[in-house]
């Protein structure tokens, strides 16, 4: 076993589920563990409180004339349900078939820990790093980073940097190094359709009062037209077109063909906006998704009932130059205008963040491409990402620095799903990549 794998297991054993307040103590304990690990590698480290979960900060000795690099990651994880579908318990990591299995193995503990291991190895081998490094690990990414932007705004000078390094995205296929230069944004909301004061007998009252579940289904169905486009008025108003060079380049990227997506998702067919390839739909087009829907009897057999209310959770993936608050306002207007009378509709906005887009051919982008090439032994592909890391655009706005997205996740790592896993080979490649990357970045000054 590689010498760091046992340590990664210790990190993975913390059930640091940020959304679940009963796990706040585990989140805090995880932060403490990371602080100690960073200190053991020869850097200074501290825990900084926020109104929510704490931030872990690490620094080497900063010297005049060197590049200032901020390394970001998140140590919080998604909930584990449905627990019964896990082949091994989510917080008891183990290796099977060359992969490390456990919640957070890829998203994001395995990925940022690979960087911490790379830093530790460089410190051991050379006694110092080729750049001024600041490590920033947060515990709230999976809940939309509610406290990190204010934290950065309050500490702008401390976190001022030339470039930011993040491994919290994907590789398009095994062995294909991937540099991300964009992320979709996100805007979340949920609504409740309320009808009768209590659940009713559906024979005694069916046909004379409005059924909230039916209305919720109508509202959900109204979000798309038959061509797969989002049917909310004005939704596409600010959408930036993708560039011709991106269309051409993405057509050659492995792993995002129709067959690849069907194989990895297990879906019976592809779906999406007409006129766009799967890569274009994923990386350059906005979407509307239902993330949760509930109401009425969910148990075995039937229960003839008109439930008092039905709940729906929605999220919208956004692209440049859509504005999250504007989109949420348009969603609200759409739902209100499509809701029939006879029920009460309550809508609550959730967290949101803008899309991010940068130039992969910048000085730092080129250094990242070189590091990927050297550490993976193959030419990197350049992609945008379908997922979101809202703090990346905040970094741009608050710190004025661009982010290099050096993804280590594979399409079948099952992030956010049962049986999340991280290939040992990617963990090791991440460690190598960190060492080469800091060298390459250090050489840009
Ligand atoms: N690591 C993901 C984001 C990601 C995954 C980007 C794969 C690109 C490829 C991150 O932890 C995540 O899940 N983000 C959330 C953001 C949200 C909760 C604000 C997301 O994308 O749903
Ligand atoms: Zn995630």
């Amino acid at each position: 076993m590689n010498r760091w794998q046992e340590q990664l297991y210790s990190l993975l054993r913390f059930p640091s589920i940020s959304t679940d307040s009963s796990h706040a103590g585990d989140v805090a304990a995880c932060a403490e563990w990371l602080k100690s690990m960073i200190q053991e590698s020869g850097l200074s480290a501290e825990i900084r409180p926020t109104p929510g979960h704490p931030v872990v900060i690490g620094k080497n000795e900063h010297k005049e004339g060197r590049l200032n690099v901020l390394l970001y990651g998140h140590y919080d994880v998604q909930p584990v349900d449905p627990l019964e579908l896990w082949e091994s318990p989510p917080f008891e990591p183990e290796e099977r078939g060359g992969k490390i299995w456990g919640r957070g193995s890829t998203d994001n503990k395995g990925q940022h820990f690979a960087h911490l291991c790379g830093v530790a190895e460089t410190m051991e081998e050379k006694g110092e790093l080729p750049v001024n490094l600041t490590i920033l690990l947060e515990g709230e990414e999976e809940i939309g980073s509610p406290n990190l932007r204010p934290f950065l705004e309050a500490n702008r000078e401390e976190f001022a940097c030339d470039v930011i390094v993040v491994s919290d995205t994907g590789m398009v296929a095994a062995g294909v190094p991937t540099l991300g230069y964009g992320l979709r944004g996100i805007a979340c909301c949920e609504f409740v359709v309320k009808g009768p004061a209590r659940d009713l007998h559906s024979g005694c009252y069916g046909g004379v009062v409005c059924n909230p579940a039916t209305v919720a289904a109508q509202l959900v169905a109204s979000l798309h037209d038959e061509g797969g486009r989002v049917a909310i008025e004005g939704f596409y108003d600010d959408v930036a077109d993708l560039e011709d060079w991106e269309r051409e380049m993405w057509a050659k990227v492995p792993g995002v063909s129709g067959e690849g997506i069907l194989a990895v998702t297990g879906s019976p067919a592809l779906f999406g906006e007409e006129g766009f390839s799967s890569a274009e739909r994923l990386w350059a087009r906005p979407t509307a998704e239902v993330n949760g829907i509930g109401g009425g009897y969910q148990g075995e057999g039937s229960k003839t009932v008109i439930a008092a209310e039905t709940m729906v959770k929605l999220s919208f993936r956004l692209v440049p130059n859509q504005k999250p608050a504007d989109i949420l306002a348009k969603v609200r207007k759409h739902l209100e205008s499509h809701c029939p009378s006879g029920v009460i509709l309550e809508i609550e906005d959730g967290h949101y963040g803008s899309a991010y887009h940068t130039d992969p051919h910048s000085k730092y982008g080129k250094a990242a491409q070189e590091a990927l090439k050297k550490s993976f032994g193959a030419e990197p592909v350049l992609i945008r990402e379908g997922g979101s890391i809202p703090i990346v655009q905040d970094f741009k706005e608050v710190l004025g620095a661009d982010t290099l997205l050096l993804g280590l996740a594979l399409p079948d790592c099952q992030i956010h799903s049962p049986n999340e896993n991280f290939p040992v080979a990617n963990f090791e490649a991440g460690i190598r990549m960190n060492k080469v990357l800091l060298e390459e970045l250090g050489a840009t000054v």
Side-chain angles (χ1 to χ4, degrees):
M1 200 189 281
N2 123 17
R3 61 183 278 225
W4 296 112
Q5 200 168 324
E6 198 59 59
Q7 287 214 40
L8 174 57
Y9 287 3
S10 300
L11 177 57
L12 294 176
R13 285 191 193 105
F14 292 99
S16 49
I17 304 170
S18 50
T19 194
D20 184 344
S21 53
S22 71
H23 282 289
D26 299 310
V27 178
C30 187
E32 285 292 341
W33 187 93
L34 282 162
K35 179 185 109 174
S36 304
M37 187 275 168
I38 294 169
Q39 285 171 337
E40 274 159 33
S41 70
L43 276 62
S44 66
E46 57 179 335
I47 306 268
R48 300 271 281 273
T50 76
H53 299 302
V55 172
V56 183
I57 307 295
K59 286 177 200 163
N60 67 340
E61 189 195 333
H62 288 195
K63 295 180 183 162
E64 201 63 36
R66 293 199 305 196
L67 196 76
N68 293 299
V69 177
L70 183 68
L71 173 67
Y72 165 86
H74 64 92
Y75 64 89
D76 64 323
V77 298
Q78 286 275 325
V80 296
D81 60 291
L83 187 57
E84 65 281 7
L85 296 185
W86 286 79
E87 278 165 35
S88 54
F91 297 110
E92 293 173 30
E94 61 178 50
E95 185 182 332
R96 295 192 308 275
K99 297 171 175 189
I100 298 163
W101 299 81
R103 173 56 89 227
S105 54
T106 289
D107 188 9
N108 169 254
K109 290 172 176 174
Q111 294 194 69
H112 73 246
F113 191 63
H115 283 275
L116 300 188
C117 298
V119 165
E121 286 191 8
T122 305
M123 290 296 289
E124 266 173 31
E125 288 157 13
K126 307 216 161 124
E128 66 168 345
L129 301 175
V131 298
N132 296 336
L133 185 70
T134 301
I135 298 166
L136 168 63
L137 304 174
E138 74 155 318
E140 301 192 317
E141 194 273 347
E142 299 290 10
I143 52 171
S145 305
N147 294 296
L148 193 52
R149 184 176 174 131
F151 177 80
L152 292 171
E153 282 170 342
N155 298 284
R156 270 173 214 271
E157 302 220 329
E158 179 179 357
F159 294 97
C161 59
D162 299 297
V163 67
I164 298 152
V165 169
V166 177
S167 288
D168 190 25
T169 52
M171 293 169 64
V172 293
V176 183
T178 304
L179 178 64
Y181 62 93
L183 292 159
R184 285 198 288 192
I186 190 168
C188 300
C189 68
E190 58 184 90
F191 66 85
V192 184
V193 182
K194 295 187 171 172
R198 70 198 76 83
D199 290 7
L200 302 176
H201 188 295
S202 64
C204 297
Y205 296 102
V208 297
V209 296
C210 201
N211 186 326
T214 305
V215 173
Q218 288 166 342
L219 290 176
V220 166
S222 76
L223 293 174
H224 294 92
D225 70 14
E226 289 188 355
R229 269 173 75 88
V230 178
I232 296 168
E233 200 182 324
F235 186 77
Y236 292 95
D237 281 359
D238 299 320
V239 168
D241 287 335
L242 68 160
E243 314 256 340
D244 287 341
W245 69 268
E246 295 183 291
R247 246 182 225 280
E248 280 166 35
M249 188 176 62
W250 294 352
K252 293 180 217 132
V253 169
V256 279
S257 66
E259 304 88 85
I261 287 172
L262 292 180
V264 85
T265 61
S267 287
L270 296 173
F271 164 85
E273 197 186 347
E274 278 170 6
F276 295 92
S277 71
S278 291
E280 292 162 8
R281 288 171 178 170
L282 273 176
W283 300 336
R285 299 298 295 171
T287 63
E289 296 295 344
V290 180
N291 297 132
I293 182 162
Y297 180 60
Q298 313 277 321
E300 191 180 339
S302 69
K303 181 186 181 201
T304 46
V305 70
I306 295 174
E309 58 182 57
T310 290
M311 168 284 291
V312 176
K313 289 179 188 281
L314 301 175
S315 66
F316 299 83
R317 294 289 164 170
L318 310 179
V319 300
N321 303 312
Q322 289 178 298
K323 293 170 214 65
D326 171 62
I327 292 297
L328 287 177
K330 286 172 172 160
V331 171
R332 182 177 288 268
K333 199 168 156 211
H334 175 94
L335 294 173
E336 282 169 352
S337 66
H338 283 72
C339 188
S341 58
V343 290
I344 293 160
L345 176 64
E346 290 176 2
I347 306 168
E348 199 181 328
D349 290 350
H351 64 73
Y352 57 79
S354 303
Y356 175 71
H357 192 198
T358 186
D359 173 14
H361 305 296
S362 67
K363 177 166 65 161
Y364 305 127
K366 283 188 185 139
Q369 290 187 46
E370 194 57 30
L372 285 170
K373 193 168 154 184
K374 284 186 180 157
S375 47
F376 285 86
E379 206 59 50
V381 296
L382 311 180
I383 69 161
R384 295 201 232 162
E385 285 282 3
S388 309
I389 312 174
I391 200 66
V392 169
Q393 178 61 20
D394 292 329
F395 283 147
K396 180 80 193 172
E397 289 169 20
V398 179
L399 305 177
D402 273 306
T403 297
L404 303 168
L405 297 161
L406 301 134
L408 297 169
L410 295 185
D412 64 355
C413 284
Q414 292 170 201
I415 62 174
H416 293 205
S417 301
N419 302 309
E420 181 175 349
N421 63 86
F422 191 41
V424 175
N426 287 33
F427 181 43
E428 291 173 346
I431 298 171
R432 285 199 307 275
M433 192 253 294
N434 168 274
K435 296 165 81 173
V436 183
L437 177 68
L438 295 189
E439 284 293 339
E440 293 289 336
L441 286 174
T444 60
V445 292

